[in-house]
Amino acid sequence: MFGSALAAVGGNTENRLSLAKASHSVVVLIDGLGWHNLQDAKAYARFLSSRQLDSIRCEFPSTTATSLTGLATGERSGSHGMIGYSVFKRSNQKPMNLLTGWGSVDEAKGFKKVKSLSEAVENVEVRVIGPSVYKDSGFSAITMPNVNYVVADSISERFAKALRVPSQNSVTYLYVPELDQLAHKFGVSSTKWLEALEELDGELSKFNSQLPSNFGVLVTADHGVIDVPSENHVFLDEFDWYVDSVLHTAGDPRCNFVYLSEGADLAAFTLALKHQFGASAYVCDSSELKISGWADWTTPTTSEVAPDLVIIWNGNAVAYDRRVAKPQYLKMIGQHGGISDQETRIPLIKLGCF
């Protein structure tokens, strides 16, 4: 998608979406606004709902680190290596948070596997408009290097600055994290989340009314969100057979990454998981993920961090290993990471000359 936005203004990238030519492209990424979330809240998003609401699929797992790296590189996780929210690195036996856990920009650059589109494109200026907290982050260094990062801490300020074009043949990436943050804390059915969506929808409507004729805009998301009540929480550390076999649990609550201890019996452990949880979860290894088409983590790029197994929760459930999960994570209502339609189906809305 980002590659198509670059191609539309003359970049040397593939125009997979067949976008019309523009002098300036804007990609608006609304974190956590899935296609179903938007459909369910139409009354609070009258402008967006009035547009032609196409949809696409995000990458697996349906989590920000993986989806945004895919957007920024045009590659799948087997190539770019950002396979989830958190992983366990076998070489040093340490957990890694791939979204927010970078100790420095240099550490993040050392993990980087492929070039981002902002590095590879020629003759196109790329800028990012987003909150100040992400300007010098390790994740930004991986996904959006060599850009002009414009700080704007409010949603309205971001859209106002997006109208100030830096130059012809340029692309703006505008990031909106607020809905995802509110969803985790209060849920997508909450008044706070719905009011934030309504505010965002109003800003997008205003922005659209002010677009020059040669602007093309794409509005999309990185994943959807489902609300999970606390009574649907599974605590993996309650099972002795799990604790005895597992060195570390990472990933998301909707998609647990399981790293077994040395000497653990993979086949026996897999059977134990399937017996315990039955149809409540899909249990699979990297080879099964590859066969299914969800992800190829059998590559050299992912060998150090790919889990032995993933537990993908079906229905409306999540699981935590409280030996490693931070207490505040157990309070989250809005969840994502799984393969349900609600989590993986995201909107694709075209505005302006697109």
Tab-separated table of all heavy atoms in Angstrom, residues 60 255-256 258 266 270 273-274 281-290 292 294 297 307-312 339:
chain	number	residue	atom	x	y	z
A	60	PHE	N	-0.333	-11.626	9.496
A	60	PHE	CA	-0.406	-12.408	10.727
A	60	PHE	C	0.910	-12.282	11.471
A	60	PHE	O	1.969	-12.341	10.845
A	60	PHE	CB	-0.675	-13.889	10.401
A	60	PHE	CG	-0.525	-14.782	11.603
A	60	PHE	CD1	-1.571	-14.921	12.505
A	60	PHE	CD2	0.661	-15.440	11.854
A	60	PHE	CE1	-1.426	-15.727	13.632
A	60	PHE	CE2	0.810	-16.250	12.967
A	60	PHE	CZ	-0.234	-16.389	13.856
A	255	CYS	N	-2.559	-14.415	20.577
A	255	CYS	CA	-1.675	-15.292	19.804
A	255	CYS	C	-0.384	-15.474	20.594
A	255	CYS	O	0.562	-14.709	20.439
A	255	CYS	CB	-1.398	-14.691	18.430
A	255	CYS	SG	-0.339	-15.727	17.396
A	256	ASN	N	-0.376	-16.485	21.451
A	256	ASN	CA	0.790	-16.724	22.310
A	256	ASN	C	1.923	-17.388	21.542
A	256	ASN	O	1.698	-18.355	20.821
A	256	ASN	CB	0.407	-17.612	23.490
A	256	ASN	CG	-0.800	-17.121	24.249
A	256	ASN	OD1	-1.788	-17.833	24.364
A	256	ASN	ND2	-0.758	-15.899	24.753
A	258	VAL	N	5.116	-19.609	22.020
A	258	VAL	CA	5.596	-20.529	23.038
A	258	VAL	C	7.007	-21.002	22.699
A	258	VAL	O	7.243	-21.561	21.622
A	258	VAL	CB	4.661	-21.752	23.172
A	258	VAL	CG1	5.167	-22.700	24.249
A	258	VAL	CG2	3.233	-21.292	23.491
A	266	LEU	N	8.375	-31.803	22.265
A	266	LEU	CA	7.474	-30.961	21.473
A	266	LEU	C	6.172	-31.677	21.146
A	266	LEU	O	5.081	-31.114	21.293
A	266	LEU	CB	8.168	-30.524	20.179
A	266	LEU	CG	7.319	-29.717	19.186
A	266	LEU	CD1	6.833	-28.419	19.807
A	266	LEU	CD2	8.112	-29.424	17.908
A	270	THR	N	2.554	-30.515	22.508
A	270	THR	CA	1.517	-30.117	21.560
A	270	THR	C	0.216	-30.865	21.829
A	270	THR	O	-0.876	-30.275	21.827
A	270	THR	CB	1.991	-30.384	20.117
A	270	THR	OG1	3.201	-29.673	19.868
A	270	THR	CG2	0.940	-29.957	19.105
A	273	LEU	N	-1.497	-29.426	24.895
A	273	LEU	CA	-2.201	-28.177	24.590
A	273	LEU	C	-3.537	-28.449	23.907
A	273	LEU	O	-4.575	-27.876	24.272
A	273	LEU	CB	-1.340	-27.297	23.690
A	273	LEU	CG	-0.200	-26.503	24.316
A	273	LEU	CD1	0.621	-25.824	23.224
A	273	LEU	CD2	-0.730	-25.452	25.291
A	274	LYS	N	-3.501	-29.310	22.899
A	274	LYS	CA	-4.720	-29.606	22.149
A	274	LYS	C	-5.761	-30.307	23.018
A	274	LYS	O	-6.965	-30.053	22.893
A	274	LYS	CB	-4.385	-30.461	20.922
A	274	LYS	CG	-3.584	-29.695	19.872
A	274	LYS	CD	-3.263	-30.558	18.665
A	274	LYS	CE	-2.529	-29.757	17.591
A	274	LYS	NZ	-2.202	-30.576	16.403
A	281	ALA	N	-8.709	-23.146	20.750
A	281	ALA	CA	-7.475	-22.561	20.217
A	281	ALA	C	-6.904	-23.430	19.110
A	281	ALA	O	-7.091	-24.650	19.095
A	281	ALA	CB	-6.453	-22.405	21.336
A	282	TYR	N	-6.209	-22.770	18.191
A	282	TYR	CA	-5.430	-23.473	17.175
A	282	TYR	C	-3.984	-23.540	17.668
A	282	TYR	O	-3.411	-22.512	18.036
A	282	TYR	CB	-5.472	-22.731	15.839
A	282	TYR	CG	-6.858	-22.483	15.302
A	282	TYR	CD1	-7.412	-21.212	15.327
A	282	TYR	CD2	-7.611	-23.524	14.754
A	282	TYR	CE1	-8.684	-20.975	14.832
A	282	TYR	CE2	-8.886	-23.298	14.261
A	282	TYR	CZ	-9.418	-22.022	14.306
A	282	TYR	OH	-10.676	-21.797	13.823
A	283	VAL	N	-3.428	-24.716	17.658
A	283	VAL	CA	-2.041	-24.906	18.077
A	283	VAL	C	-1.239	-25.358	16.861
A	283	VAL	O	-1.559	-26.375	16.245
A	283	VAL	CB	-1.932	-25.964	19.204
A	283	VAL	CG1	-0.469	-26.160	19.603
A	283	VAL	CG2	-2.777	-25.552	20.406
A	284	CYS	N	-0.229	-24.602	16.500
A	284	CYS	CA	0.531	-24.961	15.300
A	284	CYS	C	1.976	-24.506	15.407
A	284	CYS	O	2.316	-23.613	16.188
A	284	CYS	CB	-0.117	-24.393	14.043
A	284	CYS	SG	-0.518	-22.644	14.136
A	285	ASP	N	2.839	-25.151	14.618
A	285	ASP	CA	4.245	-24.768	14.563
A	285	ASP	C	4.500	-23.982	13.284
A	285	ASP	O	3.592	-23.710	12.492
A	285	ASP	CB	5.150	-25.999	14.669
A	285	ASP	CG	4.923	-27.018	13.548
A	285	ASP	OD1	4.385	-26.630	12.475
A	285	ASP	OD2	5.281	-28.195	13.723
A	286	SER	N	5.769	-23.618	13.061
A	286	SER	CA	6.108	-22.767	11.915
A	286	SER	C	5.808	-23.432	10.581
A	286	SER	O	5.385	-22.774	9.626
A	286	SER	CB	7.581	-22.362	11.987
A	286	SER	OG	7.815	-21.507	13.078
A	287	SER	N	6.022	-24.734	10.496
A	287	SER	CA	5.764	-25.423	9.228
A	287	SER	C	4.275	-25.417	8.901
A	287	SER	O	3.878	-25.267	7.738
A	287	SER	CB	6.295	-26.859	9.277
A	287	SER	OG	5.620	-27.615	10.265
A	288	GLU	N	3.439	-25.545	9.911
A	288	GLU	CA	1.990	-25.515	9.689
A	288	GLU	C	1.513	-24.108	9.327
A	288	GLU	O	0.613	-23.944	8.500
A	288	GLU	CB	1.270	-26.022	10.938
A	288	GLU	CG	1.476	-27.507	11.177
A	288	GLU	CD	0.995	-27.959	12.542
A	288	GLU	OE1	1.280	-27.268	13.531
A	288	GLU	OE2	0.334	-29.012	12.621
A	289	LEU	N	2.132	-23.086	9.931
A	289	LEU	CA	1.808	-21.711	9.559
A	289	LEU	C	2.151	-21.451	8.097
A	289	LEU	O	1.410	-20.779	7.377
A	289	LEU	CB	2.571	-20.722	10.445
A	289	LEU	CG	2.052	-20.483	11.859
A	289	LEU	CD1	3.011	-19.550	12.603
A	289	LEU	CD2	0.645	-19.906	11.851
A	290	LYS	N	3.273	-21.998	7.663
A	290	LYS	CA	3.696	-21.823	6.271
A	290	LYS	C	2.725	-22.504	5.323
A	290	LYS	O	2.315	-21.929	4.305
A	290	LYS	CB	5.108	-22.371	6.079
A	290	LYS	CG	5.640	-22.193	4.663
A	290	LYS	CD	7.057	-22.736	4.535
A	290	LYS	CE	7.582	-22.566	3.106
A	290	LYS	NZ	8.967	-23.075	2.972
A	292	SER	N	-0.374	-23.149	5.817
A	292	SER	CA	-1.656	-22.444	5.853
A	292	SER	C	-1.622	-21.136	5.070
A	292	SER	O	-2.663	-20.603	4.693
A	292	SER	CB	-2.043	-22.135	7.305
A	292	SER	OG	-1.212	-21.119	7.839
A	294	TRP	N	-0.410	-18.342	6.379
A	294	TRP	CA	-0.459	-17.227	7.314
A	294	TRP	C	0.893	-16.538	7.456
A	294	TRP	O	0.979	-15.320	7.547
A	294	TRP	CB	-0.955	-17.691	8.684
A	294	TRP	CG	-2.441	-17.893	8.725
A	294	TRP	CD1	-3.113	-19.085	8.753
A	294	TRP	CD2	-3.447	-16.877	8.702
A	294	TRP	NE1	-4.466	-18.866	8.757
A	294	TRP	CE2	-4.702	-17.524	8.730
A	294	TRP	CE3	-3.407	-15.484	8.669
A	294	TRP	CZ2	-5.909	-16.812	8.722
A	294	TRP	CZ3	-4.611	-14.784	8.657
A	294	TRP	CH2	-5.841	-15.446	8.682
A	297	TRP	N	7.781	-18.559	8.778
A	297	TRP	CA	8.817	-18.318	9.783
A	297	TRP	C	9.858	-19.435	9.779
A	297	TRP	O	10.524	-19.685	10.786
A	297	TRP	CB	8.189	-18.193	11.166
A	297	TRP	CG	7.276	-17.014	11.308
A	297	TRP	CD1	7.156	-15.955	10.455
A	297	TRP	CD2	6.329	-16.784	12.356
A	297	TRP	NE1	6.219	-15.065	10.904
A	297	TRP	CE2	5.688	-15.542	12.066
A	297	TRP	CE3	5.971	-17.469	13.513
A	297	TRP	CZ2	4.695	-15.011	12.900
A	297	TRP	CZ3	4.994	-16.938	14.338
A	297	TRP	CH2	4.364	-15.727	14.028
A	307	PRO	N	8.921	-18.848	17.394
A	307	PRO	CA	8.562	-19.728	18.509
A	307	PRO	C	8.471	-21.182	18.072
A	307	PRO	O	8.352	-21.492	16.886
A	307	PRO	CB	7.193	-19.196	18.941
A	307	PRO	CG	6.615	-18.604	17.686
A	307	PRO	CD	7.777	-18.022	16.933
A	308	ASP	N	8.516	-22.069	19.046
A	308	ASP	CA	8.321	-23.490	18.747
A	308	ASP	C	6.869	-23.762	18.372
A	308	ASP	O	6.587	-24.579	17.495
A	308	ASP	CB	8.710	-24.341	19.965
A	308	ASP	CG	10.193	-24.254	20.276
A	308	ASP	OD1	10.999	-24.654	19.416
A	308	ASP	OD2	10.539	-23.764	21.367
A	309	LEU	N	5.957	-23.066	19.033
A	309	LEU	CA	4.521	-23.217	18.772
A	309	LEU	C	3.829	-21.869	18.940
A	309	LEU	O	4.326	-20.997	19.664
A	309	LEU	CB	3.884	-24.210	19.755
A	309	LEU	CG	4.271	-25.684	19.660
A	309	LEU	CD1	3.720	-26.425	20.871
A	309	LEU	CD2	3.728	-26.300	18.379
A	310	VAL	N	2.688	-21.707	18.282
A	310	VAL	CA	1.809	-20.577	18.564
A	310	VAL	C	0.451	-21.118	18.991
A	310	VAL	O	-0.002	-22.165	18.503
A	310	VAL	CB	1.654	-19.627	17.355
A	310	VAL	CG1	2.970	-18.946	17.032
A	310	VAL	CG2	1.113	-20.346	16.137
A	311	ILE	N	-0.156	-20.421	19.926
A	311	ILE	CA	-1.527	-20.727	20.363
A	311	ILE	C	-2.389	-19.564	19.901
A	311	ILE	O	-2.290	-18.456	20.420
A	311	ILE	CB	-1.629	-20.891	21.887
A	311	ILE	CG1	-0.581	-21.866	22.416
A	311	ILE	CG2	-3.033	-21.353	22.273
A	311	ILE	CD1	-0.522	-21.918	23.945
A	312	ILE	N	-3.217	-19.807	18.896
A	312	ILE	CA	-4.078	-18.759	18.331
A	312	ILE	C	-5.478	-18.986	18.878
A	312	ILE	O	-6.116	-20.004	18.590
A	312	ILE	CB	-4.089	-18.818	16.796
A	312	ILE	CG1	-2.659	-18.782	16.242
A	312	ILE	CG2	-4.910	-17.674	16.229
A	312	ILE	CD1	-2.575	-19.111	14.759
A	339	ILE	N	-6.549	-14.520	14.284
A	339	ILE	CA	-6.853	-14.648	12.860
A	339	ILE	C	-8.335	-14.504	12.556
A	339	ILE	O	-8.776	-14.809	11.452
A	339	ILE	CB	-6.339	-15.998	12.296
A	339	ILE	CG1	-6.994	-17.179	13.030
A	339	ILE	CG2	-4.822	-16.069	12.361
A	339	ILE	CD1	-6.649	-18.536	12.432
